[in-house]
Amino acid sequence: MTTTADELREEVRRRYAESARAVSEGSQGSCGGGSCCVDGESESAKFGEALYDAEQRGGLPEAAALASLGCGNPVMVADLHDGETMLDLGSGGGIDVILSAKRVGESGLAYGLDMTDEMLALARQNAQEAGIRNAIFLKGVIEQIPLPADSIDVVISNCVVNLSTDKPAVLTEIARVLKPGGRIGISDVVAEDQLSAKARADRGSYVGCIAGALSKGEYEAGLEAAGFEHVSVEFTHQVADGMHGAIVKAVKTSEPAQKGLPVIQPTAKAGCC
Ligand SMILES: C[S@@+](CC[C@H](N)C(=O)[O-])C[C@H]1O[C@@H](n2cnc3c(N)ncnc32)[C@H](O)[C@@H]1O
């Protein structure tokens, strides 16, 4: 039986709502360590708070660190400056928004965007506890970003693009909201080019951040089609056979084109963790 895109998105939302509730209640929930991008204890060094250094973790409320579900540390590579406006796609418990808000300072602004109410509530509470006053958390989907065109200096994201059922829409939306010269620093799970969609699905679930991953070539082509230049996709650590945590960087140099990469059909099993 195949799963439709709407069903997959709902499964993703439900699973991350459960994870947010588990962190809020102080339990680990069914995802182990609070993370859904992980299939077991041995994976915990490849995902989540272990990817942040002690200094970054030291300045965070405990719940923000515990709720970290990413596969990288995009704030480290995003090169944020004082006064800039940044946007984190799929901001989860708010860890990267809080760290970014500190980087851009009070003259800057950090937006977080997430579709899951429970995550938004957790992120707002974490930002308040961290004393952050220049962060705004928005409800919405990353395929239709609720912000005006040319309004953002830097878009970051941590292990979320792989969860989207319409990746061309996400890349085109990123290009739309970025100012000319705006840049992206995204952490994501990325497959080696030889892995078919089926081979990716064999290595892990969709909500577990594996089955929906783009390949390196697909990411590069998708970003170029959306109007980006200086595109780079660099593997940082292996998370499954032929699949890696990666840093994706690019600069918006022209207006987004309406073409994109083919939609990867969500044939994957939707099971989690
Ligand atoms: C793997 S977690 C990552 C959270 C956060 N970036 C981090 O590093 O801790 C995925 C998050 O993305 C959100 N998400 C997944 N798909 C989304 C979509 N299409 N639109 C908006 N949010 C989405 C989920 O609700 C969840 O909070």
Side-chain angles (χ1 to χ4, degrees), residues 80 86 96-106 110 132 134-135:
L80 293 164
M86 62 74 63
D96 294 317
V97 173
I98 293 172
L99 293 170
S100 299
K102 292 180 182 183
R103 282 276 187 93
V104 298
E106 297 235 333
I132 299 296
N134 57 334

Side-chain angles (χ1 to χ4, degrees), residues 9 12-13 16 37 52 67-71 88-93 95-96 113-116 119 140-143 157-160 163-164 209:
R9 181 186 278 173
V12 169
R13 194 206 56 72
Y16 287 97
C37 282
Y52 294 80
S68 169
L69 307 174
C71 47
D88 180 17
L89 299 179
S91 42
I95 182 167
D96 294 317
L113 173 65
D114 207 286
M115 67 178 179
T116 304
M119 278 295 183
V141 293
I142 63 174
E143 296 82 0
S157 184
N158 197 347
C159 229
V160 182
L163 293 169
S164 171
C209 298

